[in-house]
Amino acid sequence: MARWRYTGNEVVNFVVADDGFQKLDGKIMPNISQILSQTPPAADGFFGEYGGQFVPEVLKPALDELSATFERYRADPEFIREFMSLLKHYSGRPTPVFHCANLSRYFSGAQIYLKREDLNHLGAHKINNTIGQILLAKRMGKKRVIAETGAGQHGVATAATAALMGMECHIYMGEVDIERQKLNVFRMQMMGAEVVSAKSGQRTLKEAVDEAIADWMAHADDTFYLLGSAVGPHPYPRMVRHFQSIVGWEAREQMLELCGRLPDYALACVGGGSNAIGLFAGFLDDASVRLIGVEPSGRGLASGEHAATLTLGKPGVLHGFRSYLLQDSEGNVEPVYSVSAGLDYPGVGPEHSALKDSGRARYVHASDQEALNAFFTLSKLEGIIPALESSHALAHAIKLAPTLPRDQIVLVNLSGRGDKDVAQIEEMVERGEVKPPVLGPVVAD
Ligand SMILES: Cc1ncc(COP(=O)(O)O)c(C=O)c1O
């Protein structure tokens, strides 16, 4: 076990002064730069039986080159310095944690805290990973960057970091998502990226990944594929988890500082699983912290219109890795649906599959309706408009909190802000498809 761990819910007073510790308010806190130099899991590409590298031969050299570059630089002090510096000065980290006093009172149960990834530059956690990967692309001398995007947040973050580094950028996006997330399409174009419409199949995230992989196969020698979630062939799940783990390590420090103890629950929505694994990474060794991932059950599990991969999927291979997968009895990938463009993916990051099987994390689901309710509720009670994706995690938090005593703590990863979703929700309200909930007063304790 790493030497910088705390045990249980208490801050343990021991000093390893020359080993990455710093003192904060009299408490000993780990230094995040030091944590990032520790070795992430799955050096061989496998999280238990999940992960791996199931790709055509033509992609193997590119993946090997990427893997070697990541291993060479991930613990390199100059790389970490540049990564941390851009996170701070470009993206605005550390993002705060916020106690939702109104929400907690309204639901009259556990205290709900948010990890405010919505306050990152461009409005979501995706930038943490794009900064890490673009720094690798720079070291590899690549001049052309491609990416897939669902909600557009990863596309926007990739376009921004490519602009920052002066690289050519192409973003693959499903035709349906281009329509749902017009604002983000325009933002990507403003930052100099070409948005390429994926017109096959369901025309959403899976097809965007299909086309990005096809582009990479044709141009692997000069192109960097900047994958946006903890999915894909090795080394992507390990690498994306590493860059996103800043979320969990920061949150862990902040909860200790703010509350003097760790949260009882850590919740995050799960699309491909990058914001969730980033949050979970900081708490995995803390047995007292229950980890919960929330998948989209869309119009209901029974309707067939959902993307509840870990709830209803079976292990299989998609996009070069083995994980839980929504598939029919013949192994064909099933169509997926969610009101949020960032969650409708039929697979999930391989580490989540391993965490589900081991029982270390639990995976539940929230429907479109529940997420929309949470979207309006947080906006009204706290003045924070959440992304539709993050609203799924919030939906579970407001179900869970009233069942718990008031001294329990539920930490929710607010993975993004909802500005990108406002036009879509406005249209849904106008068409009568959704009604903002009528909320009563917040009653003081
Ligand atoms: C704000 C936000 N949260 C969550 C997600 C889901 O991705 P992941 O599961 O990789 O965090 C997305 C994807 O676009 C997103 O934009």
Side-chain angles (χ1 to χ4, degrees), residues 123-126 149-155 184 205 228-231 240 244 269-277 340-344 348 352 386-390 413-417 420-421:
H125 67 295
K126 297 286 182 187
T149 197
Q153 288 303 108
H154 175 60
N184 273 344
L205 184 55
S229 192
V231 298
V240 174
Q244 289 293 1
C269 66
V270 179
S274 70
N275 87 91
I277 207 64
S340 67
L343 297 184
D344 54 0
V348 66
H352 288 294
L388 274 179
E389 290 78 14
S390 328
N413 196 12
L414 196 72
S415 54
R417 58 176 171 252
K420 68 183 178 58
D421 301 312

Side-chain angles (χ1 to χ4, degrees), residues 5 19 45 53 73 106-107 132 138 174 276 282 323 327 381 445:
R5 301 301 319 189
D19 197 22
Q53 211 181 69
Y73 289 110
Y106 190 80
F107 288 100
K138 189 174 102 174
S323 197
Q327 52 190 314
L381 294 187
D445 290 322

Side-chain angles (χ1 to χ4, degrees), residues 125-415:
H125 67 295
K126 297 286 182 187
I127 188 87
N128 305 324
N129 169 48
T130 54
I131 288 177
Q133 289 197 46
I134 207 85
L135 289 177
L136 294 178
K138 189 174 102 174
R139 280 161 175 74
M140 291 163 82
K142 302 284 183 191
K143 300 273 182 283
R144 181 175 184 267
V145 176
I146 58 168
E148 81 300 331
T149 197
Q153 288 303 108
H154 175 60
V156 166
T158 304
T161 47
L164 184 69
M165 298 294 167
M167 294 179 193
E168 180 187 329
C169 182
H170 302 262
I171 306 291
Y172 289 90
M173 190 168 186
E175 195 176 32
V176 170
D177 292 337
I178 287 181
E179 191 52 36
R180 279 197 283 192
Q181 300 287 341
K182 280 187 198 141
L183 176 65
N184 273 344
V185 173
F186 192 51
R187 291 166 87 200
M188 288 182 250
Q189 290 166 340
M190 283 177 74
M191 291 184 282
E194 187 200 346
V195 180
V196 186
S197 175
K199 297 182 192 297
S200 60
Q202 276 199 289
R203 296 170 293 143
T204 60
L205 184 55
K206 176 187 164 292
E207 290 73 26
V209 179
D210 290 342
E211 298 205 12
I213 290 176
D215 179 321
W216 203 32
M217 284 172 68
H219 303 103
D221 48 340
D222 71 338
T223 296
F224 188 98
Y225 181 13
L226 209 162
L227 225 168
S229 192
V231 298
H234 177 66
Y236 284 106
R238 167 174 156 92
M239 188 169 70
V240 174
R241 163 223 224 261
H242 179 69
F243 293 136
Q244 289 293 1
S245 70
I246 186 84
V247 176
W249 292 119
E250 245 179 46
R252 191 175 192 285
E253 268 195 11
Q254 290 165 325
M255 293 309 290
L256 287 169
E257 191 186 358
L258 207 62
C259 305
R261 71 180 189 90
L262 296 175
D264 299 289
Y265 294 83
L267 267 62
C269 66
V270 179
S274 70
N275 87 91
I277 207 64
L279 181 73
F280 293 176
F283 300 102
L284 268 180
D285 293 339
D286 300 305
S288 66
V289 182
R290 296 176 187 90
L291 308 175
I292 301 182
V294 188
E295 300 191 304
S297 51
R299 298 197 168 104
L301 292 181
S303 72
E305 294 184 79
H306 60 79
T309 309
L310 287 158
T311 308
L312 291 182
K314 289 183 302 256
V317 172
L318 175 69
H319 293 146
F321 68 106
R322 184 166 191 275
S323 197
Y324 276 81
L325 179 63
L326 286 167
Q327 52 190 314
D328 64 20
S329 53
E330 263 126 60
N332 302 308
V333 177
E334 285 190 322
V336 280
Y337 161 82
S338 165
V339 71
S340 67
L343 297 184
D344 54 0
Y345 183 65
V348 66
E351 192 170 0
H352 288 294
S353 294
L355 290 173
K356 171 189 159 83
D357 285 4
S358 72
R360 176 63 190 93
R362 203 156 64 82
Y363 295 88
V364 299
H365 46 85
S367 67
D368 283 1
Q369 196 52 56
E370 290 170 324
L372 287 161
N373 256 328
F375 175 92
F376 286 115
T377 304
L378 189 75
S379 304
K380 185 80 197 308
L381 294 187
E382 301 287 356
I384 298 172
I385 301 175
L388 274 179
E389 290 78 14
S390 328
S391 300
H392 286 74
L394 276 169
H396 188 71
I398 62 184
K399 241 188 268 175
L400 175 68
T403 68
L404 301 171
R406 286 189 182 202
D407 62 355
Q408 295 262 298
I409 297 175
V410 175
L411 174 66
V412 180
N413 196 12
L414 196 72
S415 54

